[in-house]
Amino acid sequence: MTKKSPAAPDLDPSGLRKGLTSYGDNGFSLFLRKAFIKGAGYSDAALDRPVIGIANTGSAYNPCHGNVPQLLEALKRGIMLAGGLPMDFPTISIHESFAYPTSMYLRNLMSMDTEEMILAQPMDAVVLIGGCDKTVPAQLMGAASAGIPAIQLITGSMLTGSHRSERVGACTDCRRYWGKYRAEEIDDQEISDVNNQLVASVGTCSVMGTASTMACIAEALGMTVPGGATPPAVTADRMRIAELTGAQAVAMARQGLTIDRILTADAFENAMRVLLAIGGSTNGIIHLAAIAGRLGLDIDLKTLDRMGRDTPVLLDLKPSGQHYMEDFHKAGGMATLLRQLKPLLKLDALTVTGRTLGQELELAGPGFAQSVVKTMDDPVYPQGGIAVLEGNLSPGGAIIKQSSADPLLMEHEGRAVVFENAADLADRIDSDALDVTAHDILVLKNIGPKGAPGMPEAGYIPIPKKLAVQGVKDIVRISDGRMSGTAFGTIVLHVTPESAIGGPLAYVQNGDRIRLSVSRREISLLVSDAELRRRQELKPISPPTAARGYKKLFLETVTQADQGVDFDFLRAARPGDPAAR
Ligand code: FES
């Protein structure tokens, strides 16, 4: 009988043998690891199975992930039925309303946490449970850098509520009702009543905000099982998707189907088509740029704009349309949308099932009559939801969500009313002394990646109260910040380079004329180059700094919106580069 040396080199780096802790003796490292995990009651038979890690983002601070305990149960069932061993582990969880100063400030930290925990702990594949806006992009970024087989499980959307027999849901209706309250159209009692109805269950926002956008994008990228984007959080369909996801993760581990084979240039092109066709959140383009950057790929804004000219908005969901996510699910979900978009898609792109997007569409079968996803001949909006603007005010590009803008304001020239930063805006926006008319253009500076910092969703500048009470519902707004995907209006965002690093936006003054032309894709400051140079020389800008901690890392390494607001050192140098280790 041959005796295996306990110190034999690790020839099968899978399951619990992956990434052994360094004690200088692999045999001892494995022996010790098994001794500890057996303290939790595991048997050798269990420990010999493929290990499926589960990034568990359940948190009392994140009601959008409030169904994670049920998802975990279904997911583990799926993993064990398929012969795997589920091992869940905690990571950072970010909720939009519970993240100070803004969730975007923490997205990269969550992506680093996800990447490092995937690589530090033994697992053959990982399931990423995400839902609320920044969680899915953070997980896809981290998993892309980690490079092992990975699959996304979406938590799912919340149910809609009812306020005085009107159907409501977060968060487009949150903004609409708050606008009514500001305009003094509803009283304290009614705003308090509607507060109870806007979020009718756990789950993510029920309109086409960033969470729903990223769920649809994850499926378009091939990163979820088919149909994984749309089931609401509290439904049986969502639990079945979780069970299926667990089984698929085991298959991926066995096949060695790594994430770089799924997140290809073709997959990103499909995701951009879907972003445009769903009237998706403007945040989606930032997140796509960041995920692609982790694989050494670029998202070109000019390409996005070109695609937008022949990709109509087909999905009739708020804020561009009228329905909610649960209606999209009942209408067949992503399969219904992808069937319409089929001529524009890269059908050979691989998905987590090991089959291509085209094969999955064939398997999904024929569609059925419904009214939520429109046809290419009769779209919700004739072009894609997002248009890319250029001009001397934004040499690195800016965007506008044209599908939720006022058509009468999309060709507009007006006088700038300038706010220097978010605090200045809060101080003066409701002042009777504010010199503003409905024809002016509101400009907000210093809410870009470094300016705020973290590029908060403050680009949805509220209508000044004196105009709101006159019944003004929209006004052109420009900033270097972002806005929630649930917001609407004629709002120019992501002005690049941002004002905090000396972009032209920093030098706009009250009374300057600005021209917006969405048809010509133009955003221009009607001030001469000589005058702009004079202003720059008079007031050179010093970018913000911090003495220590995460803020220092953030301010020193964060990139601009066109690069996804990722940290520069996390981007892969070239396509195909493995994780930087
Ligand atoms: Fe979590 Fe809207 S707040 S998805």
Side-chain angles (χ1 to χ4, degrees), residues 10 85 253 275 464 515:
D10 186 12
L85 174 67
L275 172 65
R515 184 167 60 226

Side-chain angles (χ1 to χ4, degrees), residues 62 64 94-97 131-133 158 170-171 203-205 211-212 486:
N62 195 345
C64 297
I94 306 170
H95 184 276
E96 285 302 291
S97 298
C132 196
D133 295 17
M158 62 182 69
C171 227
T204 57
C205 287
S212 303
T486 61

Side-chain angles (χ1 to χ4, degrees), residues 28 48 88 99 144 149 173 246 272 286 339 415 440 460 557 564 573:
F28 177 67
D48 275 344
D88 65 301
D173 297 319
M272 285 198 275
I286 291 184
R339 247 183 239 113
R415 185 183 67 134
D440 292 334
Y460 179 75
T557 64

Side-chain angles (χ1 to χ4, degrees), residues 317-516:
L317 246 62
K318 290 188 173 200
S320 298
Q322 52 173 327
H323 295 288
Y324 295 85
M325 274 303 272
E326 61 200 68
D327 307 318
F328 183 26
H329 181 59
K330 287 175 189 159
M334 284 291 287
T336 306
L337 181 90
L338 294 172
R339 247 183 239 113
Q340 288 296 326
L341 284 179
K342 201 171 171 185
L344 299 174
L345 295 174
K346 301 281 189 187
L347 296 171
D348 289 337
L350 198 62
T351 77
V352 286
T353 60
R355 293 182 288 271
T356 65
L357 188 65
Q359 288 170 324
E360 288 303 344
L361 267 178
E362 289 302 315
L363 287 172
F368 51 86
Q370 48 79 41
S371 59
V372 180
V373 179
K374 306 293 182 189
T375 62
M376 297 288 269
D377 299 333
D378 180 27
V380 177
Y381 190 81
Q383 295 191 356
I386 297 171
V388 180
L389 308 172
E390 277 185 332
N392 67 344
L393 189 53
S394 188
I399 57 158
I400 184 167
K401 190 170 181 180
Q402 54 179 342
S403 56
S404 61
D406 181 344
L408 298 175
L409 289 174
M410 291 208 288
E411 308 294 321
H412 185 78
E413 184 183 315
R415 185 183 67 134
V417 174
V418 177
F419 299 91
E420 289 301 322
N421 50 45
D424 183 31
L425 177 82
D427 279 353
R428 296 192 295 121
I429 190 74
D430 286 342
S431 162
D432 284 339
L434 184 69
D435 177 14
V436 66
T437 75
H439 302 291
D440 292 334
I441 293 180
L442 305 182
V443 175
L444 175 56
K445 304 177 184 176
N446 289 305
I447 59 164
K450 294 193 189 211
M455 207 180 179
E457 290 183 340
Y460 179 75
I461 305 165
I463 307 288
K465 193 158 186 177
K466 66 195 283 188
L467 299 182
V469 294
Q470 292 166 23
V472 175
K473 299 282 187 229
D474 198 4
I475 183 169
V476 177
R477 288 157 268 183
I478 301 174
S479 77
D480 46 14
R482 298 176 301 115
M483 82 172 178
S484 164
T486 61
F488 50 90
T490 312
I491 302 175
V492 178
L493 301 156
H494 310 180
V495 168
T496 304
E498 64 175 307
S499 51
I501 61 168
L505 188 71
Y507 299 100
V508 181
Q509 296 180 353
N510 275 320
D512 285 347
R513 306 286 298 175
I514 292 176
R515 184 167 60 226
L516 167 67

Side-chain angles (χ1 to χ4, degrees), residues 13 23 59 84 90 129 142 160 215 253 257 285 349 387 423 463 528-529 570:
Y23 293 116
S59 161
I129 305 181
T160 51
L257 180 53
I285 193 63
I463 307 288
S528 70
D529 290 349
L570 292 174

